[in-house]
Amino acid sequence: FADNQAVTGGGAYRGLFYDCLFTNNAAEGGTSGNGGGFYMPVNFTPASTLYRCRFVDNRASNHGGGAYGSATYYSCVFAGNAAVANGGGVNDGVLESCSVLGNSGAYGGGIYSATAYYSLIYYNSAQFGDDNTRGGTLWGCCSYPSRYGVTVTDPPLVAGFRNPHLMAGSPCIDTGDNRPWMTGAQALDIDGESRQAGLAVDIGADEYDAGALAGPLSVFVSADYVTFGATYAPEFRAEVVGLAETLVWDFGDGAGA
């Protein structure tokens, strides 16, 4: 679902979705512009369900840049979405083992008034209040700052926002827990692999498997500004496509990370 626009629900409105990509959609209805990528009315039954979907670079003129409403998201990724008001990544709904990274909004850059289980909610930005979460309920999540329901506050060590594969040493590895849905046929991570590859379930949409780190890699690097003064510390970000074990920054002057 790409490059669509509607007053409400830019990419899609209600439904059951598997392995879908929602990208560059917009809900442009002023204060009615909710759910840039996907929209589901709040408290509407039956609720929508989405498995292993990616919401990337969607926007809303009101709430829910990536998605809005009473839906449940399993092993989904929300990255680079934006809302003028609440919930840059997600507004309302239930997140089961999802990754929410690099989204922005006025309140709740990552999620707003949602319930999240063992989800990774990091590197989001908000104009007011905490960058990552606002309201809602968290259970066993990785986020910052610390609050009830956050069990990991350290950086998650992901290879990128849009493809948030965990890298070796990530604090999210083996720190999640089994949920009832993980006994069924859809107990899969964002890559369609088993939800438990190690000692326990991992936090977030990706399940780290050291034995499966193979295949091609490509790296993209971006900066917040390309022109800046000597006293400004630019922010660089890498986006790795593929399964990387580790990521090292080398600036060619002896400094690295």
Side-chain angles (χ1 to χ4, degrees):
F1 300 83
D3 305 320
N4 302 290
Q5 183 174 324
V7 172
T8 295
Y13 184 96
R14 297 170 52 190
L16 174 63
F17 299 85
Y18 298 87
D19 304 293
C20 294
L21 171 65
F22 300 80
T23 184
N24 199 36
N25 302 290
E28 298 287 2
T31 56
S32 298
N34 300 322
F38 173 80
Y39 178 86
M40 174 74 189
V42 175
N43 298 324
F44 188 91
T45 55
S48 293
T49 308
L50 300 93
Y51 295 93
R52 302 176 303 278
C53 292
R54 297 176 188 266
F55 298 82
V56 179
D57 296 334
N58 302 286
R59 59 193 184 278
S61 61
N62 198 36
H63 305 315
Y68 176 97
S70 298
T72 302
Y73 309 91
Y74 297 93
S75 297
C76 290
V77 172
F78 298 84
N81 304 287
V84 173
N86 304 332
V90 188
N91 194 119
D92 289 301
V94 177
L95 285 71
E96 294 271 7
S97 299
C98 293
S99 293
V100 185
L101 298 143
N103 306 280
S104 62
Y107 291 93
I111 66 172
Y112 182 91
S113 191
T115 299
Y117 296 92
Y118 305 106
S119 292
L120 193 170
I121 310 164
Y122 226 92
Y123 300 122
N124 303 285
S125 62
Q127 292 176 267
F128 310 102
D130 293 342
D131 286 328
N132 293 302
T133 64
R134 177 74 177 228
T137 304
L138 305 182
W139 299 89
C141 292
C142 171
S143 191
Y144 186 87
S146 178
R147 55 167 282 190
Y148 183 81
V150 172
T151 56
V152 176
T153 56
D154 291 336
L157 292 185
V158 293
F161 291 177
R162 289 160 172 75
N163 294 282
H165 296 111
L166 302 178
M167 295 188 293
S170 169
C172 296
I173 296 173
D174 294 340
T175 49
D177 203 355
N178 287 296
R179 294 278 297 155
W181 67 276
M182 294 181 180
T183 61
Q186 299 302 326
L188 305 171
D189 74 350
I190 190 64
D191 298 315
E193 299 171 342
S194 173
R195 263 301 0 176
Q196 184 172 339
L199 299 176
V201 175
D202 298 344
I203 295 175
D206 175 55
E207 187 72 18
Y208 178 80
D209 185 354
L213 298 180
L217 292 172
S218 58
V219 182
F220 304 90
V221 177
S222 62
D224 55 349
Y225 293 99
V226 295
T227 303
F228 44 84
T231 60
Y232 179 76
E235 181 178 297
F236 294 97
R237 183 167 65 84
E239 188 76 35
V240 179
V241 179
L243 300 175
E245 182 176 10
T246 189
L247 175 65
V248 177
W249 287 90
D250 185 346
F251 296 99
D253 59 356

